[in-house]
Amino acid sequence: MRLLQWALLGFTAIVAADLNNTGESRNVLKSAFIPPKHFRNVNLVRNINLEKSYPRETVNVVIENIDQKAQSEYFIPFEQGLIGRIGGLEVKDKKQPDRTGFRTDVVGIDPFSTTEYYKITLPTPLPPNEQLTISITYVVLSALEPLPAQIQQNDKQYVQHTFSAYAPSAYTTKQQKTKLKLPTTDVPDAVKLPASLNAEGKEDPQKQGPTYTYGPYTDLEAGAVQEVSVRYEFTKPLTHGKLLERDIEVSHWGGNIATEERHWLTNRAATLKNHFSRVLFQQSSYYNPPSSALKEMKFPLIVGSADAYFIDDIGNVSTSRFRTNLREADLSLKPRYPIYGGWNYNFRVGWNGELENFLRKTKSGSDNFVLKVPFFEGPKQGEGMEYEKVVTRVILPEGATNVHFETTVPIVSDTISLTKTFMDTVGRTTLTVTAVNVVDELRDRDLIVTYDYPFAARFRKPLTIFAGVLVLFVASWVVGNLDVSIGKQKRA
C-alpha cells in the first residue's frame, strides 16, 4: 500500500521546482470513470525486454483522434495491484525523439475500483482525424517469480513472467502484437494461444531464437485481456533495493564533495532448499558457474573519486577493491557472505571528489552557483537492480538560499530543511528529493541544483570558529586569574 500511495503522488518526465514553495497534488477520479473514447490505436507494437531482473516494456503506438475536437489527454489502464510497481514511465514522439512537453500523471480512483490510469498529456492537442506515433516506456518491479520457489545451492534458476498478450489500452485497437526478448533459449514453458486468435492464422507464440511473438491481433476492444506466461532460465540474482539513501555534502571552503550511499538490499531469487554449504560454495568458486546468489557488486564512479570506503552493520569490510586513474574510478565490493534468495544485506559506501568537477558559477553573478551531480549511483550489475525508494539529500553550505533543482528522474516529493553539523550556527540548507520504483538504468541521470551563496555567508563558519576559540582563551584567562585559595595570603 505504501508503494501505491507513493505512486499516486504523480510522476513527471522533467521536474523543476522552487523549494521555497513546494507541494504535491493528486488527481482522484470517480469509481465509475471511463476514459472518453477520443482516440483509436491504429497500430500498436509492444516490446517486453526480459534480459534483466525486471521487465522493461516499450509500446510504440499510432494514435488517431476520432473526435470532432482537438484532444490532448491519452489514458493507459493498469490494475490497481500493478500500478504501484510501475516505474520510470516516459513518453516520446517516435518520429521526433527530441520533442519535449509530454507530461505523465497517475490518476487515482477510489479504493473500490480495480483499475487505475496513467494520463498522458500531449504537448499540443491533436486535431481531428490526425495521427501521432508515440513511444511509451516503463518498467515493472517485482514482476519475475522464481519457479520452483526453492532450489539446491548449485541448481539452475527458472523464473516466470505473467502478462497479457494484449497490451493494456483504454481504446479500441485496430492491430497489435507483443514481442518478448528473452535472455536465453532455455524456455521450458510458454502459454500457447490458438491460431483462431491470430490475424495470420498462426499458433502463438511464434519463436525465433530468444524472441517470442504473440500476434498480430486485430479489432480489439478497450480493456481486452488475454493472460499468458513464460517460464525461462535465469540463473542470476534478482536484486531488489528496499531503500537507497544518498547524501551529497558540498563544502566550498574545503573544495570537496563527499558522497555516501546507504543500501538495504534483498535477493528475490529462489530460496535454498537445504542449508547453505560453505564447502560447495568454495568448490564452485574455482570454476565460477552461474549462480542466483549475489557475490559481488561493482560501482563505476566518476573520474577523480577518492578515499572510498565500504561498511556494513558489523563494521569495515576489507573485501573491496578501489581502482582509480585518469580514465576511470571503479569500486568493487564483495559482501561478507554470498546473498542467496531471501537473504538481506545492508551496507554503506562513500567517497570524496573535487568540488570543481561538479560546481560552476553562473553568469548572473558571483553569488549564484550550479551543482551537477548524479541523482544516484549504486551498483551497476549485468542482471540489473531495482529500487523501491531512492532518497537523495544534497547538503549545501550554511547560508545557501533560493534553491531550485531539475532532473529527468520521475520525482514524487521534494523538501527543503536544515541539517546541523559540526560548528554550525543555524544549520546547513538541505534539499531532499524522493523517487520510487527506480531501476539502475537511471543511475547516470543528473540532478542539477542552483542556489545563491552570499559572500558574507561564506565567512559564517570561520567567524564562528574564531569566536569559539576567542571565548575559550578568554575563559581560560579568567579562570587562571581567579583566587581560589582558602587561607589568607602571607605578606612579605
Side-chain angles (χ1 to χ4, degrees):
M1 289 299 296
R2 182 174 295 178
L3 276 178
L4 182 59
Q5 293 172 357
W6 287 332
L8 289 175
L9 294 176
F11 297 148
T12 55
I14 297 180
V15 178
D18 182 352
L19 296 182
N20 296 321
N21 296 283
T22 60
E24 298 173 354
S25 62
R26 170 182 170 183
N27 296 319
V28 180
L29 307 176
K30 297 181 179 180
S31 59
F33 171 79
I34 299 177
K37 307 302 180 183
H38 298 320
F39 292 98
R40 176 180 64 176
N41 300 326
V42 178
N43 188 26
L44 185 151
V45 178
R46 178 192 187 195
N47 296 286
I48 304 178
N49 191 315
L50 297 174
E51 293 180 313
K52 291 193 173 184
S53 58
Y54 50 83
R56 167 171 288 280
E57 300 195 14
T58 302
V59 180
N60 299 317
V61 56
V62 180
I63 62 174
E64 180 182 3
N65 183 3
I66 57 176
D67 196 60
Q68 297 179 354
K69 298 180 180 179
Q71 301 294 333
S72 61
E73 294 183 349
Y74 182 89
F75 291 86
I76 307 176
F78 290 101
E79 295 179 0
Q80 190 179 55
L82 178 63
I83 198 169
R85 296 186 283 115
I86 298 294
L89 192 144
E90 296 179 332
V91 184
K92 294 182 179 180
D93 188 326
K94 183 66 175 177
K95 296 182 179 179
Q96 302 178 33
D98 296 333
R99 185 184 182 188
T100 60
F102 290 94
R103 179 178 175 180
T104 61
D105 298 284
V106 176
V107 288
I109 303 180
D110 64 35
F112 299 101
S113 175
T114 58
T115 305
E116 292 178 301
Y117 297 88
Y118 261 96
K119 181 179 69 174
I120 299 174
T121 304
L122 306 180
T124 56
L126 188 65
N129 301 320
E130 291 292 324
Q131 295 183 354
L132 175 67
T133 304
I134 59 177
S135 178
I136 306 168
T137 305
Y138 56 89
V139 296
V140 186
L141 273 67
S142 303
L144 305 183
E145 293 296 333
L147 191 65
Q150 291 186 329
I151 59 175
Q152 298 290 348
Q153 188 167 319
N154 290 335
D155 283 354
K156 287 184 178 182
Q157 175 181 251
Y158 289 86
V159 296
Q160 179 172 288
H161 178 50
T162 302
F163 60 100
S164 173
Y166 305 153
S169 178
Y171 310 97
T172 58
T173 303
K174 188 175 181 180
Q175 178 173 298
Q176 73 154 270
K177 67 171 59 176
T178 296
K179 294 182 178 180
L180 283 80
K181 187 175 182 181
L182 301 169
T184 178
T185 56
D186 186 359
V187 185
D189 298 306
V191 173
K192 297 181 180 180
L193 297 180
S196 58
L197 298 178
N198 190 295
E200 298 176 352
K202 299 179 181 179
E203 185 181 72
D204 289 329
Q206 303 156 46
K207 307 174 185 178
Q208 188 175 3
T211 302
Y212 282 48
T213 303
Y214 285 88
Y217 307 113
T218 56
D219 300 326
L220 297 178
E221 295 296 326
V225 176
Q226 181 64 59
E227 185 174 294
V228 293
S229 63
V230 59
R231 177 172 168 264
Y232 57 96
E233 188 263 329
F234 192 84
T235 311
K236 299 177 182 179
L238 303 178
T239 310
H240 180 86
K242 298 178 182 178
L243 175 64
L244 165 57
E245 292 182 344
R246 174 177 169 89
D247 289 348
I248 303 170
E249 188 172 343
V250 179
S251 173
H252 280 242
W253 273 97
N256 184 70
I257 182 167
T259 303
E260 180 177 274
E261 291 188 344
R262 297 176 292 278
H263 295 258
W264 286 262
L265 301 182
T266 186
N267 189 355
R268 296 184 55 256
T271 58
L272 295 179
K273 185 177 294 186
N274 298 318
H275 294 294
F276 169 69
S277 172
R278 174 65 67 175
V279 175
L280 287 177
F281 177 72
Q282 289 298 117
Q283 290 176 348
S284 64
S285 63
Y286 290 102
Y287 55 95
N288 196 26
S291 174
S292 60
L294 179 62
K295 302 178 182 179
E296 185 178 12
M297 292 172 283
K298 297 182 179 180
F299 286 71
L301 305 180
I302 295 176
V303 175
S305 300
D307 308 323
Y309 59 88
F310 174 29
I311 301 173
D312 62 10
D313 292 340
I314 299 176
N316 182 63
V317 185
S318 60
T319 52
S320 63
R321 183 169 58 91
F322 181 55
R323 183 178 68 252
T324 179
N325 52 47
L326 297 177
R327 295 178 298 176
E328 61 181 359
D330 293 324
L331 176 61
S332 298
L333 311 179
K334 287 187 177 181
R336 292 182 185 271
Y337 50 86
I339 307 170
Y340 282 91
W343 294 14
N344 302 319
Y345 191 65
N346 307 331
F347 67 95
R348 66 176 62 190
V349 292
W351 56 89
N352 292 318
E354 295 184 5
L355 185 60
E356 62 181 12
N357 296 331
F358 303 89
L359 190 69
R360 295 289 185 272
K361 288 184 179 180
T362 63
K363 296 181 179 179
S364 59
S366 60
D367 293 341
N368 189 258
F369 295 87
V370 178
L371 179 70
K372 182 179 179 181
V373 293
F375 183 82
F376 76 100
E377 290 177 79
K380 188 174 184 179
Q381 305 293 104
E383 67 275 5
M385 290 187 65
E386 60 185 28
Y387 301 90
E388 284 186 24
K389 184 180 180 182
V390 177
V391 180
T392 297
R393 296 197 312 162
V394 181
I395 305 173
L396 300 172
E398 189 175 24
T401 59
N402 194 26
V403 181
H404 297 74
F405 80 93
E406 181 178 324
T407 181
T408 56
V409 176
I411 301 300
V412 296
S413 69
D414 56 83
T415 59
I416 188 170
S417 59
L418 295 176
T419 300
K420 290 188 177 181
T421 58
F422 182 68
M423 295 299 291
D424 284 339
T425 53
V426 296
R428 305 182 63 175
T429 306
T430 302
L431 163 66
T432 303
V433 185
T434 303
V436 297
N437 297 345
V438 179
V439 295
D440 59 342
E441 292 181 359
L442 304 180
R443 70 183 303 277
D444 295 326
R445 299 199 179 185
D446 292 321
L447 173 63
I448 301 175
V449 182
T450 61
Y451 60 94
D452 293 336
Y453 189 35
F455 184 78
R458 304 176 200 180
F459 291 93
R460 178 176 296 180
K461 180 162 288 189
L463 290 176
T464 301
I465 296 174
F466 174 76
V469 173
L470 182 62
V471 169
L472 178 62
F473 274 103
V474 171
S476 300
W477 180 82
V478 171
V479 171
N481 285 276
L482 289 177
D483 184 6
V484 294
S485 60
I486 298 176
K488 295 182 178 180
Q489 294 183 355
K490 295 181 179 180
R491 295 182 179 180

